[in-house]
Amino acid sequence: MNPFKIIEDLINEHGSATIRGERLLLLKDELTIVEKERADLYKKCSDLEKEVIELRDKLAKASIPPEFTEYQGALFKRDAAGSYSPIAYCPECKRPLFNTEPKIFPYSCSTRGCGYNVNIHEDLQSIANKLTDGKR
């Protein structure tokens, strides 16, 4: 066995281990940076999702004409005197909703192709009175 070969192999192995150690430290540093960026992006994404929800709510409220008020998923119309009528309207097409048996069936839109349905759990007259009196 060549003694120089053994020493040469030992030097090579030691040098490779040092280089590997340096590379591992570099990778750990890069991993720390990537993990921080990931956490920042996750927070930013979460904040943007909340903002989208808020903007959608604002848009939905802005799309309701001023003479209507939304209550329990339906719209109720206010007249010039400020009173509300006991008629529920569709928030999609602003047409009256109908129902043959409110305690059993949901209110449905009368517009062909709309298909909007909503369960209203109160009497329409009591809702109109609440809205008129401002007791939502």
Side-chain angles (χ1 to χ4, degrees):
M1 176 149 250
N2 183 353
F4 292 109
K5 176 73 172 143
I6 295 172
I7 294 172
E8 185 179 54
D9 288 344
L10 184 61
I11 291 171
N12 286 338
E13 286 176 15
H14 178 69
S16 295
T18 303
I19 292 171
R20 274 193 223 132
E22 290 172 3
R23 286 187 179 171
L24 283 175
L25 289 175
L26 180 63
L27 285 173
K28 285 180 184 178
D29 290 343
E30 288 181 17
L31 181 61
T32 303
I33 292 168
V34 168
E35 286 175 342
K36 184 185 179 317
E37 287 175 349
R38 179 189 173 274
D40 291 346
L41 289 172
Y42 182 79
K43 184 184 180 315
K44 186 175 182 178
C45 182
S46 177
D47 292 345
L48 289 172
E49 285 174 344
K50 288 176 188 173
E51 184 178 349
V52 165
I53 290 169
E54 290 171 7
L55 289 173
R56 283 183 180 163
D57 287 345
K58 283 182 183 179
L59 179 62
K61 288 178 183 173
S63 66
I64 297 173
E67 69 270 13
F68 287 103
T69 298
E70 188 275 330
Y71 186 78
Q72 290 190 8
L75 298 180
F76 291 86
K77 194 171 189 177
R78 182 176 45 241
D79 63 17
S83 299
Y84 286 86
S85 65
I87 300 170
Y89 290 86
C90 174
E92 303 292 326
C93 58
K94 315 307 184 265
R95 303 273 317 234
L97 297 172
F98 71 92
N99 191 321
T100 55
E101 188 57 50
K103 293 184 189 236
I104 299 173
F105 301 112
Y107 283 82
S108 301
C109 184
S110 58
T111 304
R112 186 179 203 169
C114 179
Y116 184 80
N117 292 312
V118 64
N119 288 314
I120 299 175
H121 305 290
E122 294 180 55
D123 176 58
L124 294 183
Q125 185 62 54
S126 65
I127 292 173
N129 293 342
K130 277 184 194 179
L131 293 172
T132 300
D133 296 340
K135 298 177 182 176
R136 281 183 86 173

